[in-house]
Amino acid sequence: MKSVLAADELGRAPRRAGHDRDALGPARRAAETGWSGAVFAHHRSAIERSLGVPEADGQLREAVRLNPYFSPYHAEKARTPLGEGRC
């Protein structure tokens, strides 16, 4: 898939429907495009965490590393499980 936005959305749609296994492939393909972003890393982390994938915390750390304020709502929640607390 050439568009990271399309790949990310193809991963988010099944997740919203409760089908995280179906979401994992598109989320990983979004990462394979080479374009990185905190929001994409957060989306992938949420999918991987729900499936118990060990790399999920790494994706969450990457989201916070790229932009600790990537979302007014999700960024604070992302920092908390990593023990980084409030900025």
Side-chain angles (χ1 to χ4, degrees):
M1 177 151 304
K2 292 184 181 184
S3 170
V4 67
L5 298 174
D8 182 62
E9 190 55 37
L10 286 172
R12 290 187 60 205
R15 171 147 173 78
R16 286 191 300 267
H19 303 286
D20 290 333
R21 263 194 213 297
D22 296 332
L24 186 57
R28 287 182 171 169
R29 281 192 291 283
E32 290 170 3
T33 64
W35 198 72
S36 65
V39 173
F40 301 127
H42 177 262
H43 292 165
R44 182 174 168 184
S45 173
I47 293 165
E48 290 180 343
R49 290 184 112 199
S50 72
L51 296 172
V53 175
E55 295 83 16
D57 284 347
Q59 289 300 313
L60 194 54
R61 281 187 191 89
E62 179 68 2
V64 173
R65 184 191 71 75
L66 288 168
N67 182 355
Y69 307 101
F70 66 89
S71 162
Y73 177 75
H74 294 293
E76 180 67 27
K77 291 179 79 170
R79 288 189 301 269
T80 302
L82 296 173
E84 296 177 13
R86 194 171 206 128
C87 288

